[in-house]
């Protein structure tokens, strides 16, 4: 239980980069993860000879390709004379081995699925007080030296920027939904849903546009996955859920026709809601969009110039002039911020996972990342559950606006998806068609023939 608690605390506190001591690259979150890694390595050393699980093999393949691609990128940068900012280069060189160790060691146990689910419950149970403590700090109930919970008017808690906290809150919110979906008792379901209240509230205070988008899209995505499960149910008896889903699908054309006259008023209300939720005026939004496209275009150009082999770890883009001038104009800026400053070498990121990977490891690393995410999504999707696929979709949305790969909690979600399996009871019901035959199976030596829906007994 102690390693699981350390693992959960490490995932929760890693985004709290303001809690790091001055001059040290690690904080309480990284320390918890390092202690957890040492404990897991010591446990595994005592029982050598454990076979590789399929999930662990997939992650080892990804990180092997990742290492090769980053090495090729570094060699390419040397050949073409590209310079690295040593500070941010070493930042990635130190971060990637930690991420690889966290993701692989979380799957090294043959019973990783059960353990990761337990860690998921610890994440949600401990996440509420951790996020609540950051809210209490924001409201002035206590003070921590050298920590500012605000980023201008946005809530960032103990993180360096609001997006780090928003990613954590998003994962905690949808993970609570997944735990509620898969829980058995009513009390457990209510407890899991209650764990999502504080993170969702804190996530809204961060003012993250991506969090707002995910918050709006998570409901329809979750319902779509749920309906898919009910619609393709293989049970010979039509359950109430399946019947309800088919009723909605068949009635959908009538519903659409009936709401057409209300479309205009709904659009007007939605526009008013969007305007009330907006943090920026249209001019600021346009500047932000043009800046993002400028960075994306620069990242594509840099990746192509490297022969699509990348330039190695670290940021490789020039800081846009608009950002430099804005920093010089702002007299009051948030304290305790770590961001690149103009240097002799490019040291800015595209803030897009795929493009940042493209500038570091080229096309090879981008394709390997797509493969591991698609594989994790397939394993989550085939369970018939809606929470895990929704959570992975949320992280994919966030990957468009941030470098999601450097978040340890992202790799926890990938590991959780890779070991996700349908419940045995669900498998039996889908093959046999009900509880009655499930009871017969438990009392008779039946064999289930692969590739066919028939059941064969020894006598037949």
């Amino acid at each position: 239980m102690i390693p699981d608690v350390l693992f959960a605390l490490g995932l929760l506190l890693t985004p709290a980069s303001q809690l790091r001591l001055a001059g040290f690259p690690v904080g309480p979150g990284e320390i918890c993860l390092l202690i957890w890694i040492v404990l897991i390595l010591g446990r595994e050393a005592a029982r050598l000879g454990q076979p590789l699980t399929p999930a662990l093999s997939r992650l080892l393949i990804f990180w092997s390709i990742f290492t090769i691609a980053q090495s090729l990128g570094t060699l390419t940068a040397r050949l073409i004379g590209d310079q690295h900012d040593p500070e941010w280069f070493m930042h990635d060189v130190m971060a990637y081995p930690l991420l690889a160790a966290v993701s692989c060691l979380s799957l090294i146990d043959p019973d990783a699925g059960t353990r990761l689910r337990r860690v998921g419950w610890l994440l949600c149970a401990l996440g509420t007080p951790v996020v609540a403590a950051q809210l209490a700090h924001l409201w002035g109930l206590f003070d921590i030296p050298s920590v500012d919970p605000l980023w201008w008017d946005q809530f960032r808690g103990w993180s360096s920027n609001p997006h780090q906290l928003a990613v954590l809150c998003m994962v905690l919110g949808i993970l609570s939904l997944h735990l509620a979906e898969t829980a058995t008792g009513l009390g457990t379901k209510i407890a899991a849903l209650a764990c999502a209240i504080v993170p969702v509230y804190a996530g809204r205070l961060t003012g993250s546009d991506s969090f707002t988008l995910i918050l709006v899209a998570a409901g329809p995505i979750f319902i779509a996955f749920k309906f898919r499960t009910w619609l393709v149910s293989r049970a010979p008896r039509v359950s109430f859920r399946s019947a309800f889903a088919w009723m909605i699908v068949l009635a959908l054309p009538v519903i659409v026709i009936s709401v057409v006259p209300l479309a205009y008023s709904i659009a007007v209300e939605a526009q008013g809601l969007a305007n009330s939720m907006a943090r920026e005026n249209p001019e600021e939004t346009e500047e932000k969009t043009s800046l993002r496209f400028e960075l994306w275009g620069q990242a594509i150009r840099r990746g192509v110039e490297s022969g699509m082999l990348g330039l190695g770890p670290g940021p490789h883009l020039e800081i846009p002039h608009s950002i430099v001038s804005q920093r010089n104009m702002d007299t009051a800026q948030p304290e305790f911020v770590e961001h690149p400053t103009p240097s002799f070498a490019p040291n800015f990121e595209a803030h897009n996972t795929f493009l940042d990977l493209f500038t570091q490891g080229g096309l090879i690393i981008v394709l390997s990342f797509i493969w591991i995410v698609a594989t994790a999504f397939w394993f989550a999707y085939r369970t018939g559950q809606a929470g895990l696929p929704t959570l992975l979709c949320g992280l994919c949305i966030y990957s468009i606006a941030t470098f999601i790969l450097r978040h340890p909690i992202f790799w926890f979600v990938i590991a959780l998806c890779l070991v996700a399996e349908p419940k045995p009871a669900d498998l039996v019901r889908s093959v046999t068609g009900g509880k009655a035959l499930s009871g017969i199976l438990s009392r008779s030596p039946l064999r289930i023939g692969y590739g066919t829906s028939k059941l064969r007994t020894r006598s037949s």
Side-chain angles (χ1 to χ4, degrees):
M1 199 60 187
I2 293 178
D4 293 341
V5 173
L6 283 172
F7 189 27
L9 285 175
L11 296 175
L12 290 171
L13 296 177
T14 302
S17 49
Q18 288 193 76
L19 297 182
R20 297 171 183 170
L21 297 177
F24 287 89
V26 297
E30 290 82 3
I31 292 174
C32 288
L33 289 180
L34 289 172
I35 296 174
W36 174 79
I37 289 172
V38 172
L39 291 177
I40 297 299
L41 288 176
R43 185 194 68 185
E44 294 303 319
R47 54 174 189 176
L48 292 176
Q50 288 288 339
L52 290 177
T53 61
L56 178 57
S57 300
R58 293 183 179 94
L59 273 183
L60 288 175
I61 292 172
F62 167 78
W63 285 113
S64 299
I65 298 174
F66 186 91
T67 304
I68 293 172
Q70 292 282 8
S71 301
L72 286 175
T74 305
L75 292 174
T76 302
R78 282 187 171 274
L79 288 175
I80 65 177
D82 187 80
Q83 291 182 309
H84 290 83
D85 187 319
E87 177 185 355
W88 297 102
F89 176 81
M90 291 305 301
H91 176 272
D92 281 2
V93 169
M94 295 176 61
Y96 290 147
L98 176 64
L99 295 169
V102 167
S103 60
C104 292
L105 291 178
S106 63
L107 294 176
I108 201 168
D109 189 350
D111 193 23
T114 302
R115 185 167 53 82
L116 287 177
R117 180 174 175 80
R118 184 165 61 245
V119 173
W121 275 105
L122 288 170
L123 269 175
C124 294
L126 297 174
T128 293
V130 167
V131 176
Q134 298 181 58
L135 288 171
H137 184 201
L138 171 68
W139 296 331
L141 299 182
F142 64 90
D143 183 59
I144 302 178
S146 302
V147 175
D148 183 4
L150 283 176
W151 171 285
W152 280 284
D153 60 339
Q154 295 177 252
F155 175 53
R156 64 172 176 172
W158 301 334
S159 303
S160 293
N161 60 71
H163 301 293
Q164 293 177 335
L165 180 60
V167 170
L168 175 65
C169 291
M170 185 272 295
V171 172
L172 292 177
I174 304 182
L175 182 61
S176 299
L177 184 62
H178 163 66
L179 294 176
E181 177 191 13
T182 55
T184 54
L186 179 60
T188 311
K189 291 179 181 291
I190 295 175
L193 291 175
C195 291
I197 298 174
V198 174
V200 170
Y201 175 72
R204 285 290 300 125
L205 291 181
T206 63
S208 170
D209 297 330
S210 298
F211 184 89
T212 303
L213 174 62
I214 295 169
L215 190 64
V216 173
I221 293 174
F222 183 87
I223 293 173
F225 283 125
K226 266 299 181 188
F227 266 58
R228 172 260 170 194
T229 302
W230 296 343
L231 288 172
V232 299
S233 176
R234 298 180 180 177
R237 285 186 186 177
V238 179
S239 65
F240 172 76
R241 293 175 176 177
S242 298
F244 177 74
W246 277 110
M247 289 170 60
I248 294 295
V249 170
L250 294 176
L252 192 58
V254 179
I255 296 174
V256 171
I257 294 174
S258 64
V259 300
V260 165
L262 301 176
Y264 178 75
S265 59
I266 293 175
V268 171
E269 292 295 331
Q271 182 64 33
L273 178 62
N275 292 334
S276 65
M277 294 174 64
R279 296 183 293 103
E280 304 165 335
N281 57 47
E283 291 78 11
E284 291 176 338
T285 303
E286 185 177 354
E287 292 177 2
K288 188 175 180 179
T289 303
S290 62
L291 175 62
R292 190 171 296 277
F293 280 117
E294 177 186 348
L295 289 172
W296 291 359
Q298 187 183 165
I300 294 173
R301 184 170 61 253
R302 294 282 285 165
V304 173
E305 289 173 353
S306 67
M308 296 192 180
L309 293 175
L311 299 168
H316 300 286
L317 306 184
E318 297 283 352
I319 301 179
H321 296 294
S322 58
I323 293 181
V324 177
S325 59
Q326 186 65 38
R327 289 177 182 173
N328 295 331
M329 291 174 56
D330 289 339
T331 56
Q333 295 189 13
E335 295 184 288
F336 319 118
V337 179
E338 294 182 3
H339 54 64
T341 56
S343 176
F344 66 93
N347 57 4
F348 207 75
E349 292 182 335
H351 296 87
N352 178 285
T353 301
F354 299 96
L355 292 179
D356 282 321
L357 288 177
F358 185 56
T359 59
Q360 292 189 8
L363 190 59
I364 299 174
I365 205 170
V366 172
L367 293 177
S368 64
F369 181 74
I370 293 174
W371 168 73
I372 194 66
V373 172
T375 303
F377 180 82
W378 167 246
F379 278 95
Y381 177 78
R382 72 185 188 126
T383 62
Q385 300 164 1
L388 274 183
T390 304
L391 177 55
L392 202 52
C393 287
L395 287 171
C396 289
I397 293 174
Y398 243 114
S399 68
I400 299 174
T402 187
F403 195 11
I404 198 71
L405 181 138
R406 276 204 299 258
H407 291 255
I409 203 165
F410 167 78
W411 291 106
F412 167 77
V413 174
I414 292 292
L416 190 63
C417 292
L418 288 176
V419 295
E421 293 182 356
K423 293 181 181 180
D426 296 336
L427 287 173
V428 171
R429 288 172 190 170
S430 67
V431 175
T432 63
K435 295 182 179 179
L437 285 179
S438 175
I440 297 174
L441 276 175
S442 64
R443 297 190 299 270
S444 63
L446 293 175
R447 298 176 182 174
I448 301 177
Y450 293 98
T452 177
S453 59
K454 296 180 180 179
L455 298 175
R456 299 194 301 268
T457 64
R458 291 180 181 174
S459 59
S460 60

